[in-house]
Amino acid sequence: MAVYLEFEKPIQELQEQLENQKQVKEKSKLKSDDSIKELEQRLIETKKEIYAGLSPWQKVQVSRHPERPYTLAYINAITGGDFIELHGDRGVRDDKAMVGGFGSIDGKTFMFVGQQKGINTKMRQYRNFGMANPEGYRKALRLFRLAEKFNKPIVCFIDTPGAFPGLEAEERGQGEAIARNIYEMFNLKVPVIAIVIGEGASGGALGIGVADKVLMMEYTWYSVISPESCSSILWRSWDYKEIAADALKLTSDNMLGNGLIDGIIKEPIGGAHSNHVEAFESVKAEIIKQYDSLKRLKPEVRVNNRIEKYSSMGVFVEGD
Amino acid sequence: MGWFKRMTEGIRTPTTEKKETPEGLWYKCRSCNHVVSSEEHANSLWVCEKCAYHERISSLQYFQVLFDNNRYTEINPHMISGDPLSFEDTKKYADRLQASIRKTGLHDAVRTAAGNVNRKKVVVACMDFQFIGGSMGSVVGEKIARAIDYAIEHNSPFILISKSGGARMMEAAFSLMQMAKTSAKLTQLSEKKIPYISMLTDPTTGGVTASFAMLGDVNIAEPGALIGFAGPRVVKETIGKELPEGFQTSEFVLEHGFLDFIVDRKNLKERIGQFLSLIKN
């Protein structure tokens, strides 16, 4: 049973009409499918129309759509199954909210790392809703170093509502784990590409997000805080999330406009959840394109450019 | 028979617990209510002489604690935020900034300076909690970045005193990227083998903990400081029960292996001097 967001109701209605028509056609063995074709056309038009006018808050909702593809789905599709998942941080345990391993795209090996959300209620708990603990970030760092050792480029998939704010996470140094990753990612000599495929929440996202090229899928968000938490802190109420989403300028086009990311990956009509295969193809094509341009640079040039890029972020006035 | 009967003789409320302490002249300890004159309090570096509670102090006060003869040169003292998002919540960020500048006399939440500590030249960056909760936005990131550049240029050890609630929401993703920016600069400092001492003071949380504060060659802290990634309220909501005694204090963080040592403010200058000598000699 497909899940529809509130503003997707017209899409749902058309989709249901379409299913009915198809059933009618099946039963009555009619040759003509004009009405079906018309409905299909209207469905596409409606999706285009609705998705062209999404508010920032609606984009946040799309980014969290339960039928959106998650990290492992991307990796499996992009590598055609030529992927070996690697586990554990070699210290505490295997964090199920952070996954990674070697895989190949058209014969070229990459290291893939990303936060993983669960596909159903049980799995969402198993994956801790994509909120990694310190051992998740340390597992990611271990995999980055492994990639470095064998000179393989790194692709990170960002999809997290935040680093886990639990008691044990604090005991094991959540802050230090994220800080260490950010720092070490500036030392990586191999090309690094990071793609926000869903939610890019704050330090939890940045902990695997320092890259030569940072890309956002069209209907995702990336900021310092979720609109809900921002509303609760600045407005002291949960009711201002739409306004907060607007104020935070967290959408892909705002982030690109502010020079804080390097590109946007277009999503299929109606969002990645409505056509996984097309989303996988776009992401794969973008990874290949970015890697082809990054591999031409000398490692020290890449590192330097990476440092320069982040060093130039910020808006301030010199004063007198 | 009166309505009230005096059970014990004399007034038993100690004068220290009386509420009307005149502002400015006297200091009442937030922890044990001990009262001393403001002058004595300053002489003990704003640490309670009775219970050793370390009062939250400003960058100027830390400079006074650290720099020889309180002499130093400030770096980029006038830089202010550009409000890149024209952010507005219940108040315009631009107005909030102006109000904070007026109220605190500061330009943003960090002050950076070069000077001598025990006759060794150093660069010190020190955060100010009074300025929007010591939050990190573009100015904090840029001033720290330039202070690190200065330290590299002059081959001076770098000391950063953190005191911050984390990233500044009103600069949204710009604030977030300051975590990357400052960390990037620290890799360059490290490349030059210049020592970096990170000092965590009450409170150090959020994006500051998750970037430069935890990246020192040595991480040190004042006693009893709140240090964490998530704030205690958020952790409490997550686990749904009371937090253990002493959770997220300096002592807790030391015990879990994320600090090198805890230092009383009165020993701070000497310990920093000693550490720098040991590195250098």
Side-chain angles (χ1 to χ4, degrees), chain A residues 165 167 170-175 179 183 186 202 224 233 235 247-248 255 258 310-311 313-318 320, chain B residues 78-80 82 85 89 138 142 146 167 169 172 176 178 180-181 190 210-211 228-230 235 238 248 252 256 258:
Chain A
L167 185 121
E170 292 295 317
E171 289 178 339
R172 295 199 283 269
Q174 187 71 285
Y183 181 90
F186 281 107
S202 200
V224 74
I233 294 172
W235 280 269
L248 286 167
M255 286 293 283
N258 283 326
Y310 286 92
S311 296
M313 290 177 184
V315 177
F316 48 86
V317 182
E318 288 287 345
D320 315 320
Chain B
H78 303 295
M79 192 187 292
I80 56 170
L85 305 176
D89 47 84
S138 299
E142 182 68 16
R146 291 198 196 178
M169 263 174 281
L176 181 66
Q178 304 312 306
K181 175 172 176 167
S190 183
S211 60
F229 173 65
V235 179
T238 307
Q248 294 185 316
F252 170 95
H256 283 91
F258 296 98

Side-chain angles (χ1 to χ4, degrees), chain B residues 15-58 61 163 202 222 265:
Chain B
T15 46
T16 51
E17 278 174 25
K18 287 183 77 174
K19 285 189 180 131
E20 319 81 24
T21 317
E23 283 280 324
L25 269 161
W26 300 92
Y27 170 76
K28 186 165 99 175
C29 175
R30 268 177 56 184
S31 175
C32 76
N33 291 335
H34 182 63
V35 172
V36 289
S37 75
S38 295
E39 200 187 333
E40 278 177 79
H41 188 52
N43 286 338
S44 52
L45 307 178
W46 306 279
V47 174
C48 176
E49 56 179 18
K50 198 171 163 212
C51 75
Y53 172 77
H54 284 55
E55 193 197 346
R56 285 181 185 175
I57 59 172
S58 69
Q61 287 166 303
K163 190 182 277 295
D202 188 56
E222 285 187 336
R265 200 175 284 157

Side-chain angles (χ1 to χ4, degrees), chain B residues 225-279:
Chain B
L226 170 71
I227 299 168
F229 173 65
R233 196 176 49 85
V234 176
V235 179
K236 195 177 149 187
E237 276 168 19
T238 307
I239 63 171
K241 52 185 179 196
E242 288 301 315
L243 299 168
E245 183 78 20
F247 182 65
Q248 294 185 316
T249 56
S250 310
E251 294 73 15
F252 170 95
V253 180
L254 176 75
E255 195 53 38
H256 283 91
F258 296 98
L259 293 176
D260 289 277
F261 56 86
I262 294 172
V263 59
D264 277 10
R265 200 175 284 157
K266 66 176 190 299
N267 302 326
L268 177 64
K269 181 171 176 165
E270 192 202 320
R271 290 299 291 279
I272 286 178
Q274 184 192 6
F275 178 78
L276 294 178
S277 293
L278 287 169
I279 292 272

